[in-house]
Amino acid sequence: MTVVTDAPGAPPEPGLTPELIVARAEAMVPDLVARQAETEQRTYYAQDTHEAFARAGFYRILVPRRFGGYEFGVETFLRVSMTLARGCPSTGWMYSLGTAHALAVATLFGERAQAELFAGGDFVCPATVAPSGAATRGADGQWILDGTWNYCSGAPYATHFMGHVVVDGAPMLFVAPRDRWRRLDDWGNQLGLKGSGSHSVAFDHAAIPAHYTLPLHLSQTSVDGGTPGLSLHGNPEYGGGPLSFMLLDSATVMLGMAQGALDAYEQLMRVRTTVFPPFSLRAEDPDYQFWYGEAAGLLATAEAAWSDAVRQWRQSCADGAFTRERDLRLATISREVARLSWRAVERCLFPTAGSSAVRNGERIERIWRDMSTLHSHAGFAVFLSTVANRELARAHFGLG
């Protein structure tokens, strides 16, 4: 269900500010923490949570104002995503990866497509980068889609889906409205992110208009020289690099997860005692103080890198100089944010929290599972660990 309160062109709350929308996310954190188990069991966040997100304006943060959105920009969106992930990793992942692609639509597609795709105001559009299925031309010029696309985080409440398909040996990006596909009940048996709503979606001879497609792959798109969205909206952030934003989005959620683990560890330090004499609260013990301080320092460094990466992303947009090299360099910063976040949890917090704190369903145990699962994500496991380094060097040396 998507909650639509006003027609496009008129945001539901014209006076809403970025600061207020982030504060709304912060106020939801305690409830998200309390509902983590049910979210995993359901495999996605609850209907009332979805409706609360819609009322708060979360699904319109990146939607252009001319189409009923708030157009608050990437920093506000990422801060909301990080905050939600701090409360519930699955919820943060599902929200962020389901909603982030409004930026790609507003950047890359033409005015006609945007007007139609954003017509509902709220925009939830999971995406996958791995091509799948098949596309054939219909008699009227539309594209006919068949097949299944996996790992579509955000599918349960989606208004659209963005995917890739190979046509004549080349990638084609497409966006399909919700009534053109069906969600499969195939999520929840993974190690972590069980509640992230990363279901598969299936197309059965579904037709979409040609202007909902582009002859490109989202991760390999160059915006050097301008974009349709920049010309249409006049907002530099609709001229930014899709690749670096996608990876910065994932790193943001991972940082939020690690911050949640530090919150849980702090609570343990305040209420639990040491195992060996002299007995004291963990907060008073030098060893626990060291582990907490080590993790806190790693996460402070990760957040500083994240903050500057966001600054660089926005500055590159404002300068009109978002080259492929800048896009890839920002992607590698995102990788280091993710690595620092994982190091804080995997080396400091998880092994010293105690056996009772890592039982199935405990907050630190869940975060460890969720962050472990992210290491199998194609963006982290394949692209950022190997491909990004080579592509950055190739771009720097002008090798194509």
Side-chain angles (χ1 to χ4, degrees):
M1 170 184 172
T2 298
V3 178
V4 180
T5 56
D6 270 329
E13 295 179 83
L16 187 63
T17 64
E19 293 77 16
L20 180 55
I21 208 166
V22 173
R24 288 175 176 178
E26 291 170 346
M28 295 179 184
V29 167
D31 184 62
L32 297 180
V33 172
R35 302 180 71 174
Q36 288 178 99
E38 68 166 87
T39 297
E40 284 196 338
Q41 184 175 17
R42 186 187 302 106
T43 72
Y44 52 93
Y45 57 76
Q47 176 73 28
D48 63 321
T49 299
H50 164 60
E51 292 172 357
F53 286 2
R55 287 194 301 272
F58 293 172
Y59 298 136
R60 299 180 183 230
I61 293 175
L62 294 174
V63 175
R65 289 194 71 87
R66 71 184 293 162
F67 298 126
Y70 291 108
E71 201 172 315
F72 283 155
V74 300
E75 183 171 1
T76 300
F77 172 76
L78 293 174
R79 288 194 181 280
V80 168
S81 297
M82 187 187 302
T83 301
L84 299 179
R86 189 169 189 161
C88 173
S90 281
T91 296
W93 184 264
M94 177 176 164
Y95 163 77
S96 194
L97 271 75
T99 312
H101 305 106
L103 188 73
V105 172
T107 298
L108 300 174
F109 284 84
E111 182 176 8
R112 179 186 176 190
Q114 289 194 38
E116 294 171 5
L117 294 171
F118 289 135
D122 287 358
F123 190 79
V124 182
C125 183
T128 60
V129 296
S132 188
T136 56
R137 277 284 195 180
D140 55 359
Q142 296 191 88
W143 285 100
I144 310 300
L145 299 171
D146 288 281
T148 300
W149 282 255
N150 301 320
Y151 304 107
C152 308
S153 302
Y157 301 119
T159 61
H160 298 79
F161 169 71
M162 176 184 288
H164 295 83
V165 62
V166 176
V167 178
D168 296 330
M172 183 177 79
L173 176 72
F174 68 87
V175 179
R178 180 63 183 87
D179 60 0
R180 314 298 163 85
W181 50 269
R182 55 192 172 86
R183 176 174 66 88
L184 304 184
D185 186 18
D186 62 351
W187 190 251
N189 293 323
Q190 294 69 23
L191 172 66
L193 293 175
K194 294 175 180 288
S196 63
S198 302
H199 303 75
S200 300
V201 304
F203 289 79
D204 302 303
H205 213 60
I208 61 171
H211 59 283
Y212 288 9
T213 71
L214 293 170
L216 55 84
H217 192 284
L218 194 58
S219 69
Q220 298 173 333
T221 301
S222 173
V223 295
D224 194 12
T227 66
L230 178 61
S231 299
L232 178 61
H233 304 294
N235 182 341
E237 293 198 13
Y238 293 135
L243 171 65
S244 53
F245 173 70
M246 286 191 299
L247 295 170
L248 186 57
D249 180 33
S250 299
T252 296
V253 177
M254 201 160 187
L255 176 56
M257 293 180 188
Q259 291 170 334
L262 189 65
D263 293 342
Y265 196 87
E266 177 180 348
Q267 181 62 24
L268 293 173
M269 288 181 67
R270 292 184 181 277
V271 299
R272 293 195 178 176
T273 60
T274 55
V275 176
F276 302 105
F279 302 111
S280 67
L281 283 176
R282 291 184 181 183
E284 299 169 352
D285 179 77
D287 290 330
Y288 283 100
Q289 292 169 355
F290 173 83
W291 292 321
Y292 178 88
E294 180 81 357
L298 289 167
L299 294 182
T301 305
E303 187 168 3
W306 172 87
S307 181
D308 197 64
V310 173
R311 181 195 63 78
Q312 288 187 52
W313 194 93
R314 299 181 67 194
Q315 188 63 52
S316 296
C317 292
D319 292 343
F322 221 119
T323 63
R324 178 67 172 170
E325 182 177 357
R326 285 195 181 191
D327 209 15
L328 288 160
R329 193 175 301 280
L330 287 168
T332 59
I333 296 174
S334 300
R335 177 190 62 209
E336 297 311 307
V337 170
R339 284 177 172 173
L340 287 167
S341 300
W342 173 241
R343 182 178 169 187
V345 173
E346 187 263 343
R347 294 190 185 182
C348 303
L349 304 179
F350 183 82
T352 63
S355 297
S356 61
V358 295
R359 292 172 181 162
N360 185 41
E362 294 294 327
R363 189 176 180 189
I364 289 180
E365 180 269 344
R366 179 177 286 111
I367 293 170
W368 181 87
R369 283 192 288 105
D370 292 339
M371 295 183 75
S372 296
T373 299
L374 282 174
H375 283 78
S376 67
H377 187 271
F380 290 109
V382 179
F383 185 82
L384 286 182
S385 62
T386 56
V387 178
N389 291 341
R390 294 194 295 268
E391 289 297 308
L392 174 59
R394 288 176 60 81
H396 181 74
F397 290 102
L399 299 177

PDB file of all heavy atoms in Angstrom, residues 66-90:
ATOM      1  N   ARG A  66       8.496  19.228  -8.348  1.00  0.00           N
ATOM      2  CA  ARG A  66       7.487  19.455  -9.387  1.00  0.00           C
ATOM      3  C   ARG A  66       6.567  18.254  -9.546  1.00  0.00           C
ATOM      4  O   ARG A  66       5.494  18.368 -10.156  1.00  0.00           O
ATOM      5  CB  ARG A  66       8.159  19.799 -10.715  1.00  0.00           C
ATOM      6  CG  ARG A  66       8.883  18.656 -11.382  1.00  0.00           C
ATOM      7  CD  ARG A  66       9.608  19.114 -12.634  1.00  0.00           C
ATOM      8  NE  ARG A  66       8.683  19.524 -13.675  1.00  0.00           N
ATOM      9  CZ  ARG A  66       9.019  20.271 -14.721  1.00  0.00           C
ATOM     10  NH1 ARG A  66      10.251  20.734 -14.840  1.00  0.00           N
ATOM     11  NH2 ARG A  66       8.136  20.576 -15.639  1.00  0.00           N
ATOM     12  N   PHE A  67       6.964  17.101  -8.980  1.00  0.00           N
ATOM     13  CA  PHE A  67       6.132  15.909  -9.043  1.00  0.00           C
ATOM     14  C   PHE A  67       5.613  15.487  -7.666  1.00  0.00           C
ATOM     15  O   PHE A  67       5.270  14.331  -7.445  1.00  0.00           O
ATOM     16  CB  PHE A  67       6.908  14.756  -9.694  1.00  0.00           C
ATOM     17  CG  PHE A  67       7.327  15.035 -11.103  1.00  0.00           C
ATOM     18  CD1 PHE A  67       8.648  14.914 -11.474  1.00  0.00           C
ATOM     19  CD2 PHE A  67       6.403  15.439 -12.059  1.00  0.00           C
ATOM     20  CE1 PHE A  67       9.048  15.170 -12.786  1.00  0.00           C
ATOM     21  CE2 PHE A  67       6.791  15.702 -13.364  1.00  0.00           C
ATOM     22  CZ  PHE A  67       8.121  15.572 -13.728  1.00  0.00           C
ATOM     23  N   GLY A  68       5.548  16.438  -6.738  1.00  0.00           N
ATOM     24  CA  GLY A  68       4.966  16.149  -5.437  1.00  0.00           C
ATOM     25  C   GLY A  68       5.940  15.677  -4.382  1.00  0.00           C
ATOM     26  O   GLY A  68       5.528  15.234  -3.305  1.00  0.00           O
ATOM     27  N   GLY A  69       7.239  15.761  -4.660  1.00  0.00           N
ATOM     28  CA  GLY A  69       8.243  15.343  -3.684  1.00  0.00           C
ATOM     29  C   GLY A  69       8.799  16.514  -2.897  1.00  0.00           C
ATOM     30  O   GLY A  69       8.417  17.669  -3.108  1.00  0.00           O
ATOM     31  N   TYR A  70       9.730  16.193  -2.000  1.00  0.00           N
ATOM     32  CA  TYR A  70      10.359  17.229  -1.171  1.00  0.00           C
ATOM     33  C   TYR A  70      11.707  17.680  -1.721  1.00  0.00           C
ATOM     34  O   TYR A  70      12.181  18.753  -1.368  1.00  0.00           O
ATOM     35  CB  TYR A  70      10.514  16.738   0.266  1.00  0.00           C
ATOM     36  CG  TYR A  70       9.180  16.607   0.964  1.00  0.00           C
ATOM     37  CD1 TYR A  70       8.644  15.357   1.247  1.00  0.00           C
ATOM     38  CD2 TYR A  70       8.439  17.732   1.303  1.00  0.00           C
ATOM     39  CE1 TYR A  70       7.410  15.228   1.865  1.00  0.00           C
ATOM     40  CE2 TYR A  70       7.205  17.630   1.916  1.00  0.00           C
ATOM     41  CZ  TYR A  70       6.699  16.364   2.194  1.00  0.00           C
ATOM     42  OH  TYR A  70       5.468  16.242   2.801  1.00  0.00           O
ATOM     43  N   GLU A  71      12.346  16.824  -2.548  1.00  0.00           N
ATOM     44  CA  GLU A  71      13.613  17.189  -3.177  1.00  0.00           C
ATOM     45  C   GLU A  71      14.628  17.674  -2.132  1.00  0.00           C
ATOM     46  O   GLU A  71      15.329  18.669  -2.348  1.00  0.00           O
ATOM     47  CB  GLU A  71      13.376  18.258  -4.258  1.00  0.00           C
ATOM     48  CG  GLU A  71      14.481  18.353  -5.292  1.00  0.00           C
ATOM     49  CD  GLU A  71      14.133  19.273  -6.454  1.00  0.00           C
ATOM     50  OE1 GLU A  71      12.994  19.185  -6.977  1.00  0.00           O
ATOM     51  OE2 GLU A  71      15.000  20.074  -6.826  1.00  0.00           O
ATOM     52  N   PHE A  72      14.709  16.964  -1.017  1.00  0.00           N
ATOM     53  CA  PHE A  72      15.616  17.363   0.064  1.00  0.00           C
ATOM     54  C   PHE A  72      17.069  16.985  -0.208  1.00  0.00           C
ATOM     55  O   PHE A  72      17.970  17.475   0.456  1.00  0.00           O
ATOM     56  CB  PHE A  72      15.177  16.740   1.391  1.00  0.00           C
ATOM     57  CG  PHE A  72      13.995  17.418   2.026  1.00  0.00           C
ATOM     58  CD1 PHE A  72      13.176  16.721   2.897  1.00  0.00           C
ATOM     59  CD2 PHE A  72      13.699  18.740   1.763  1.00  0.00           C
ATOM     60  CE1 PHE A  72      12.097  17.332   3.509  1.00  0.00           C
ATOM     61  CE2 PHE A  72      12.609  19.371   2.355  1.00  0.00           C
ATOM     62  CZ  PHE A  72      11.801  18.660   3.236  1.00  0.00           C
ATOM     63  N   GLY A  73      17.310  16.088  -1.140  1.00  0.00           N
ATOM     64  CA  GLY A  73      18.675  15.764  -1.503  1.00  0.00           C
ATOM     65  C   GLY A  73      19.232  14.542  -0.798  1.00  0.00           C
ATOM     66  O   GLY A  73      18.634  13.971   0.118  1.00  0.00           O
ATOM     67  N   VAL A  74      20.437  14.167  -1.248  1.00  0.00           N
ATOM     68  CA  VAL A  74      21.005  12.890  -0.813  1.00  0.00           C
ATOM     69  C   VAL A  74      21.400  12.886   0.662  1.00  0.00           C
ATOM     70  O   VAL A  74      21.287  11.856   1.336  1.00  0.00           O
ATOM     71  CB  VAL A  74      22.213  12.490  -1.687  1.00  0.00           C
ATOM     72  CG1 VAL A  74      21.816  12.355  -3.130  1.00  0.00           C
ATOM     73  CG2 VAL A  74      23.357  13.475  -1.545  1.00  0.00           C
ATOM     74  N   GLU A  75      21.885  14.003   1.188  1.00  0.00           N
ATOM     75  CA  GLU A  75      22.333  13.988   2.584  1.00  0.00           C
ATOM     76  C   GLU A  75      21.170  13.708   3.525  1.00  0.00           C
ATOM     77  O   GLU A  75      21.287  12.893   4.460  1.00  0.00           O
ATOM     78  CB  GLU A  75      23.008  15.310   2.960  1.00  0.00           C
ATOM     79  CG  GLU A  75      23.551  15.284   4.386  1.00  0.00           C
ATOM     80  CD  GLU A  75      24.419  16.475   4.721  1.00  0.00           C
ATOM     81  OE1 GLU A  75      24.601  17.359   3.854  1.00  0.00           O
ATOM     82  OE2 GLU A  75      24.936  16.528   5.860  1.00  0.00           O
ATOM     83  N   THR A  76      20.049  14.345   3.315  1.00  0.00           N
ATOM     84  CA  THR A  76      18.877  14.097   4.155  1.00  0.00           C
ATOM     85  C   THR A  76      18.419  12.652   4.015  1.00  0.00           C
ATOM     86  O   THR A  76      18.127  11.977   5.007  1.00  0.00           O
ATOM     87  CB  THR A  76      17.734  15.054   3.773  1.00  0.00           C
ATOM     88  OG1 THR A  76      18.168  16.399   3.958  1.00  0.00           O
ATOM     89  CG2 THR A  76      16.503  14.790   4.629  1.00  0.00           C
ATOM     90  N   PHE A  77      18.349  12.169   2.778  1.00  0.00           N
ATOM     91  CA  PHE A  77      17.937  10.786   2.553  1.00  0.00           C
ATOM     92  C   PHE A  77      18.865   9.811   3.266  1.00  0.00           C
ATOM     93  O   PHE A  77      18.414   8.873   3.937  1.00  0.00           O
ATOM     94  CB  PHE A  77      17.908  10.489   1.065  1.00  0.00           C
ATOM     95  CG  PHE A  77      17.682   9.038   0.757  1.00  0.00           C
ATOM     96  CD1 PHE A  77      16.420   8.479   0.881  1.00  0.00           C
ATOM     97  CD2 PHE A  77      18.735   8.222   0.372  1.00  0.00           C
ATOM     98  CE1 PHE A  77      16.209   7.135   0.621  1.00  0.00           C
ATOM     99  CE2 PHE A  77      18.541   6.876   0.112  1.00  0.00           C
ATOM    100  CZ  PHE A  77      17.270   6.330   0.240  1.00  0.00           C
ATOM    101  N   LEU A  78      20.160  10.005   3.143  1.00  0.00           N
ATOM    102  CA  LEU A  78      21.116   9.087   3.749  1.00  0.00           C
ATOM    103  C   LEU A  78      21.073   9.164   5.273  1.00  0.00           C
ATOM    104  O   LEU A  78      21.245   8.141   5.955  1.00  0.00           O
ATOM    105  CB  LEU A  78      22.519   9.372   3.223  1.00  0.00           C
ATOM    106  CG  LEU A  78      22.739   9.075   1.733  1.00  0.00           C
ATOM    107  CD1 LEU A  78      24.127   9.536   1.290  1.00  0.00           C
ATOM    108  CD2 LEU A  78      22.533   7.599   1.422  1.00  0.00           C
ATOM    109  N   ARG A  79      20.837  10.329   5.824  1.00  0.00           N
ATOM    110  CA  ARG A  79      20.735  10.431   7.290  1.00  0.00           C
ATOM    111  C   ARG A  79      19.501   9.682   7.796  1.00  0.00           C
ATOM    112  O   ARG A  79      19.552   9.028   8.845  1.00  0.00           O
ATOM    113  CB  ARG A  79      20.690  11.896   7.717  1.00  0.00           C
ATOM    114  CG  ARG A  79      22.023  12.604   7.564  1.00  0.00           C
ATOM    115  CD  ARG A  79      22.092  13.933   8.296  1.00  0.00           C
ATOM    116  NE  ARG A  79      23.378  14.571   8.105  1.00  0.00           N
ATOM    117  CZ  ARG A  79      24.483  14.262   8.767  1.00  0.00           C
ATOM    118  NH1 ARG A  79      24.439  13.323   9.707  1.00  0.00           N
ATOM    119  NH2 ARG A  79      25.618  14.881   8.522  1.00  0.00           N
ATOM    120  N   VAL A  80      18.407   9.767   7.082  1.00  0.00           N
ATOM    121  CA  VAL A  80      17.222   8.992   7.460  1.00  0.00           C
ATOM    122  C   VAL A  80      17.524   7.499   7.356  1.00  0.00           C
ATOM    123  O   VAL A  80      17.194   6.715   8.253  1.00  0.00           O
ATOM    124  CB  VAL A  80      16.016   9.383   6.581  1.00  0.00           C
ATOM    125  CG1 VAL A  80      14.864   8.397   6.751  1.00  0.00           C
ATOM    126  CG2 VAL A  80      15.551  10.796   6.922  1.00  0.00           C
ATOM    127  N   SER A  81      18.173   7.084   6.279  1.00  0.00           N
ATOM    128  CA  SER A  81      18.507   5.671   6.096  1.00  0.00           C
ATOM    129  C   SER A  81      19.415   5.166   7.206  1.00  0.00           C
ATOM    130  O   SER A  81      19.210   4.071   7.750  1.00  0.00           O
ATOM    131  CB  SER A  81      19.190   5.469   4.732  1.00  0.00           C
ATOM    132  OG  SER A  81      18.329   5.810   3.674  1.00  0.00           O
ATOM    133  N   MET A  82      20.438   5.931   7.553  1.00  0.00           N
ATOM    134  CA  MET A  82      21.364   5.532   8.606  1.00  0.00           C
ATOM    135  C   MET A  82      20.645   5.405   9.950  1.00  0.00           C
ATOM    136  O   MET A  82      20.880   4.465  10.721  1.00  0.00           O
ATOM    137  CB  MET A  82      22.500   6.558   8.727  1.00  0.00           C
ATOM    138  CG  MET A  82      23.609   6.142   9.692  1.00  0.00           C
ATOM    139  SD  MET A  82      24.840   7.449   9.995  1.00  0.00           S
ATOM    140  CE  MET A  82      25.423   7.784   8.328  1.00  0.00           C
ATOM    141  N   THR A  83      19.741   6.338  10.216  1.00  0.00           N
ATOM    142  CA  THR A  83      19.007   6.329  11.481  1.00  0.00           C
ATOM    143  C   THR A  83      18.109   5.101  11.582  1.00  0.00           C
ATOM    144  O   THR A  83      18.063   4.432  12.630  1.00  0.00           O
ATOM    145  CB  THR A  83      18.180   7.614  11.610  1.00  0.00           C
ATOM    146  OG1 THR A  83      19.053   8.754  11.557  1.00  0.00           O
ATOM    147  CG2 THR A  83      17.407   7.633  12.912  1.00  0.00           C
ATOM    148  N   LEU A  84      17.390   4.786  10.514  1.00  0.00           N
ATOM    149  CA  LEU A  84      16.507   3.623  10.537  1.00  0.00           C
ATOM    150  C   LEU A  84      17.312   2.331  10.685  1.00  0.00           C
ATOM    151  O   LEU A  84      16.905   1.416  11.415  1.00  0.00           O
ATOM    152  CB  LEU A  84      15.664   3.576   9.266  1.00  0.00           C
ATOM    153  CG  LEU A  84      14.723   4.767   9.027  1.00  0.00           C
ATOM    154  CD1 LEU A  84      13.964   4.592   7.723  1.00  0.00           C
ATOM    155  CD2 LEU A  84      13.757   4.950  10.187  1.00  0.00           C
ATOM    156  N   ALA A  85      18.457   2.249  10.006  1.00  0.00           N
ATOM    157  CA  ALA A  85      19.304   1.057  10.123  1.00  0.00           C
ATOM    158  C   ALA A  85      19.894   0.924  11.518  1.00  0.00           C
ATOM    159  O   ALA A  85      20.131  -0.195  11.995  1.00  0.00           O
ATOM    160  CB  ALA A  85      20.428   1.115   9.088  1.00  0.00           C
ATOM    161  N   ARG A  86      20.109   2.016  12.195  1.00  0.00           N
ATOM    162  CA  ARG A  86      20.608   1.976  13.569  1.00  0.00           C
ATOM    163  C   ARG A  86      19.584   1.315  14.486  1.00  0.00           C
ATOM    164  O   ARG A  86      19.944   0.623  15.437  1.00  0.00           O
ATOM    165  CB  ARG A  86      20.903   3.401  14.039  1.00  0.00           C
ATOM    166  CG  ARG A  86      21.626   3.499  15.380  1.00  0.00           C
ATOM    167  CD  ARG A  86      22.116   4.914  15.629  1.00  0.00           C
ATOM    168  NE  ARG A  86      22.989   5.006  16.785  1.00  0.00           N
ATOM    169  CZ  ARG A  86      23.820   6.011  17.024  1.00  0.00           C
ATOM    170  NH1 ARG A  86      23.877   7.026  16.161  1.00  0.00           N
ATOM    171  NH2 ARG A  86      24.594   6.016  18.103  1.00  0.00           N
ATOM    172  N   GLY A  87      18.300   1.504  14.171  1.00  0.00           N
ATOM    173  CA  GLY A  87      17.257   0.868  14.959  1.00  0.00           C
ATOM    174  C   GLY A  87      17.012  -0.566  14.557  1.00  0.00           C
ATOM    175  O   GLY A  87      16.984  -1.469  15.388  1.00  0.00           O
ATOM    176  N   CYS A  88      16.858  -0.817  13.255  1.00  0.00           N
ATOM    177  CA  CYS A  88      16.611  -2.171  12.741  1.00  0.00           C
ATOM    178  C   CYS A  88      17.326  -2.300  11.402  1.00  0.00           C
ATOM    179  O   CYS A  88      16.923  -1.661  10.425  1.00  0.00           O
ATOM    180  CB  CYS A  88      15.121  -2.427  12.572  1.00  0.00           C
ATOM    181  SG  CYS A  88      14.739  -4.008  11.763  1.00  0.00           S
ATOM    182  N   PRO A  89      18.385  -3.110  11.335  1.00  0.00           N
ATOM    183  CA  PRO A  89      19.137  -3.237  10.082  1.00  0.00           C
ATOM    184  C   PRO A  89      18.277  -3.645   8.895  1.00  0.00           C
ATOM    185  O   PRO A  89      18.420  -3.080   7.801  1.00  0.00           O
ATOM    186  CB  PRO A  89      20.181  -4.304  10.410  1.00  0.00           C
ATOM    187  CG  PRO A  89      20.401  -4.176  11.885  1.00  0.00           C
ATOM    188  CD  PRO A  89      19.048  -3.843  12.432  1.00  0.00           C
ATOM    189  N   SER A  90      17.394  -4.621   9.080  1.00  0.00           N
ATOM    190  CA  SER A  90      16.551  -5.060   7.971  1.00  0.00           C
ATOM    191  C   SER A  90      15.652  -3.936   7.477  1.00  0.00           C
ATOM    192  O   SER A  90      15.483  -3.729   6.266  1.00  0.00           O
ATOM    193  CB  SER A  90      15.693  -6.255   8.402  1.00  0.00           C
ATOM    194  OG  SER A  90      16.437  -7.452   8.395  1.00  0.00           O
TER     195      SER A  90
END
